Amino acid sequence: MAGENGEAVRNKQVIFRDYVSGFPEDTDMEVRESTMKLRLLEGSNGLLVKNLYLSCDPYMRFRMTKPNVPVYVEPFRPGSLITGYGVARVLESGHPNFKKGDLLWGLTGWEECTLITAPETCFKIEHTDVPLSYYTGLLGMPGMTAYAGFFEVCSPKKGETVFISAASGAVGQLVGQLAKLFGCYVVGSAGSKEKVDLLKNKFGFDDAFNYKEEQDLDAALKRCFPEGIDIYFENVGGKMLDAVLLSMKLHGRIAVCGMISQYNLEQPEGIHNLTNFILKRIRMEGFVVSDYYHLYPKFLETVLPHIKEGKIVYVEDTAEGLENAPTALIGLFYGRNIGKQVVVVSHE
Amino acid sequence: MAGENGEAVRNKQVIFRDYVSGFPEDTDMEVRESTMKLRLLEGSNGLLVKNLYLSCDPYMRFRMTKPNVPVYVEPFRPGSLITGYGVARVLESGHPNFKKGDLLWGLTGWEECTLITAPETCFKIEHTDVPLSYYTGLLGMPGMTAYAGFFEVCSPKKGETVFISAASGAVGQLVGQLAKLFGCYVVGSAGSKEKVDLLKNKFGFDDAFNYKEEQDLDAALKRCFPEGIDIYFENVGGKMLDAVLLSMKLHGRIAVCGMISQYNLEQPEGIHNLTNFILKRIRMEGFVVSDYYHLYPKFLETVLPHIKEGKIVYVEDTAEGLENAPTALIGLFYGRNIGKQVVVVSHE
């Protein structure tokens, strides 16, 4: 990369073409050559960064939908850059929290270099003795989501039974390992034999099943939880949620992290078993990680030692290069990723 | 009534015939003449009571369904007495908390006289300067349900917007009045013009609508809540819940007290808008009043002065005589009752 003195340099970008209804496709995005000046304007408190790793996250589907009023997630703008979480290195800083050479994670652009205009929303990376890409997953937004969702929303008690859907994904794999370390009985569902094997053999879940091979989700859950489910960490919605409601225990809790099975449907599936809320005094709560970022230091303190001792492991699925970013993102909605989906823009 | 010396006396009873699927009918119950001895067995710690008022409550529909495993509500037994909440006078007491002549409310039988075997679950009535029948409604289980559901489950804040379905019912009318006194903006729905008039003109709701006359529940809610709903007190379920989810505000709360529109359907309606849980961080919680009875003294302390000052009013729908009890109970599921449905067994 040239441009050290502020001349315009090449900056490959992933552009959002237009609003999507139904399943998004690779062609809803395009990779374009662009240029940018690698210099901050005088008096700017922004950051010029070089993007290293980008995060593909299911919530990004919300941003592809033509906004209704009121809007709770800022939509992408047709013809404009895709933005999302990523790991980056600071090239030039106008903000007192960061200096040239620092590593950070936070909201950035799907491009080679980005001008970050809200550096206060970024987290400086202090621990570099783990893979940097972990800050798109295990140690970034999805990891923090798992931690806040499990400990703050689910109110777990030792010995309780925990069910996690999309359990081998970026969030699920950590929820399961945190729940095991906390002393819960943990079962996960996923969509392939390979993923189920990961859950049982790599992440140490007590049990797991492939939802695509179960004729009857209710029966599968009753088999795994003969006494019922105390906590459901919801990532998928739809038929799985409906079946889970039948197996919830008295005073069960459901943390709604995502409902990925529903995001691309013109009409979401109907959930029929909600009267169980009354009979079983169920609490269900949707949450968004940004409400919990004040817990990030505590989260790191909890998780980093476990990573270093090998008690928490993490599986990533890596796409190389911005050219492959659209396909990687779309793959989430077909369950093609095995573990956290990362896009490598540059290894250093 | 004879029988003061323990001889067998007439005891009319309402008997549950057999398990029901779909809508229950009057003929699922029958009124029978029976006899009982009006004397406690030696050493009994039970109570012999004369029933005065009986309470018709929607939850009783759960007890008419053939039980699945696990059972969270004890079903009625085919061929046996209907039981439920009521107000009664003690004829003979084997329990230190009660003496002959005391008034109480609690679980009793749908019959003239009942042997209560668990007197510790009954509440002694200390305040008789209000209509005694209020202890089946405003000052009994439904009133306590309104109080606990609103203050303990909904976590209200002054100035918030509150929507209540089945708002003129036994629970709804008190929720609305408590919410108004607390400083909320309150809207209710009900199923007739007469009920809507009650909401607006007697209970002091800010607004109300007849859901049967609205083409589009979503539009009705948007009209009443242009800025959205902070709290939904859920009594009906089904299409109303689905519409409410579209109007909930960020961090909105839903207390699920009942879903009466769903109890008699072979297959409950599907709810489609659950992804709003994520976008709006909604919390929904089912609750059962029995978890909150420890708050009953505080509840009375709060509500009694308001009743005496006329700041809380209550509407009852009264059926005279055990013969009319089955029709009164069934009427709940057609919305025939206007206000709390009470059955008078005896006025004294």
Side-chain angles (χ1 to χ4, degrees), chain B residues 24-300:
Chain B
E25 296 176 24
D26 300 14
T27 51
D28 291 317
M29 292 163 271
E30 65 180 319
V31 181
R32 270 193 211 159
E33 295 284 342
S34 173
T35 59
M36 80 181 291
K37 283 199 175 166
L38 281 188
R39 197 162 57 189
L40 286 176
L41 288 178
E42 192 72 26
S44 161
N45 73 345
L47 303 175
L48 258 179
V49 303
K50 180 181 179 189
N51 293 308
L52 304 179
Y53 301 97
L54 298 175
S55 179
C56 296
D57 294 299
Y59 84 90
M60 296 170 81
R61 178 62 186 81
F62 289 122
R63 306 188 63 187
M64 295 182 170
T65 300
K66 190 165 184 174
N68 291 315
V69 178
V71 171
Y72 295 97
V73 179
E74 200 195 343
F76 295 133
R77 282 199 309 268
S80 294
L81 188 68
I82 299 269
T83 56
Y85 284 93
V87 171
R89 185 185 300 279
V90 176
L91 299 175
E92 194 181 342
S93 172
H95 194 278
N97 291 1
F98 295 93
K99 62 179 196 305
K100 183 173 170 171
D102 279 351
L103 291 161
L104 61 78
W105 72 268
L107 287 171
T108 187
W110 278 33
E111 57 188 340
E112 289 174 283
C113 296
T114 296
L115 171 64
I116 292 178
T117 55
E120 61 280 3
T121 66
C122 293
F123 296 82
K124 193 187 289 192
I125 294 174
E126 311 275 8
H127 303 272
T128 54
D129 50 350
V130 291
L132 270 184
S133 58
Y134 276 13
Y135 290 94
T136 66
L138 176 55
L139 294 173
M141 182 278 283
M144 188 59 216
T145 300
Y147 179 81
F150 183 64
F151 288 110
E152 301 295 315
V153 184
C154 295
S155 316
K157 292 193 252 321
K158 210 175 154 166
E160 286 192 321
T161 58
V162 177
F163 177 57
I164 304 159
S165 53
S168 69
V171 177
Q173 51 179 304
L174 181 57
V175 175
Q177 293 177 85
L178 289 173
K180 279 301 297 174
L181 287 167
F182 187 71
C184 292
Y185 180 82
V186 180
V187 179
S189 65
S192 74
K193 183 179 180 308
E194 187 176 359
K195 293 178 185 180
V196 168
D197 286 346
L198 276 180
L199 295 177
K200 289 188 187 170
N201 302 322
K202 189 165 180 80
F203 303 132
F205 283 48
D206 294 292
D207 204 350
F209 64 88
N210 177 351
Y211 72 92
K212 290 181 182 167
E213 292 198 340
E214 297 290 341
Q215 294 287 319
D216 178 344
L217 293 175
D218 179 32
L221 290 166
K222 295 234 161 68
R223 184 181 73 226
C224 294
F225 295 100
E227 307 291 323
I229 300 169
D230 289 301
I231 289 174
Y232 174 41
F233 198 99
E234 164 69 301
N235 288 313
V236 301
K239 291 182 182 66
M240 186 65 88
L241 174 58
D242 226 3
V244 165
L245 288 170
L246 299 173
S247 277
M248 289 300 287
K249 284 166 82 165
L250 274 184
H251 296 289
R253 286 133 275 147
I254 300 174
V256 187
C257 176
M259 291 189 170
I260 194 170
S261 75
Q262 305 299 298
Y263 297 165
N264 302 310
L265 306 181
E266 297 288 346
Q267 160 81 320
E269 291 176 277
I271 305 297
H272 297 273
N273 296 322
L274 294 175
T275 48
N276 285 279
F277 270 83
I278 309 164
L279 293 170
K280 302 176 186 169
R281 292 97 133 168
I282 295 170
R283 172 164 62 79
M284 177 158 101
E285 188 168 345
F287 72 102
V288 171
V289 63
S290 51
D291 291 342
Y292 296 93
Y293 276 144
H294 59 283
L295 300 175
Y296 187 68
K298 201 176 152 199
F299 161 71
L300 277 186

Side-chain angles (χ1 to χ4, degrees), chain A residues 223-281:
Chain A
R223 183 181 75 226
C224 294
F225 296 100
E227 307 291 323
I229 300 169
D230 290 301
I231 290 174
Y232 174 42
F233 198 99
E234 165 69 300
N235 288 312
V236 302
K239 291 182 182 66
M240 186 65 89
L241 174 58
D242 226 3
V244 165
L245 288 170
L246 299 173
S247 276
M248 289 300 286
K249 284 167 82 166
L250 272 184
H251 296 289
R253 286 132 276 148
I254 301 175
V256 187
C257 175
M259 292 189 170
I260 195 170
S261 75
Q262 305 300 298
Y263 297 165
N264 302 310
L265 306 182
E266 296 288 347
Q267 160 82 318
E269 291 175 277
I271 304 298
H272 297 273
N273 297 321
L274 295 175
T275 48
N276 285 279
F277 270 82
I278 309 163
L279 293 171
K280 301 175 187 169
R281 292 97 134 168

Side-chain angles (χ1 to χ4, degrees), chain A residues 2 4 37 125 229 238 272 283 334 338 345:
Chain A
E4 293 290 335
K37 284 199 175 167
I125 295 174
I229 300 169
H272 297 273
R283 172 163 62 79
Y334 295 93
I338 295 182
V345 185

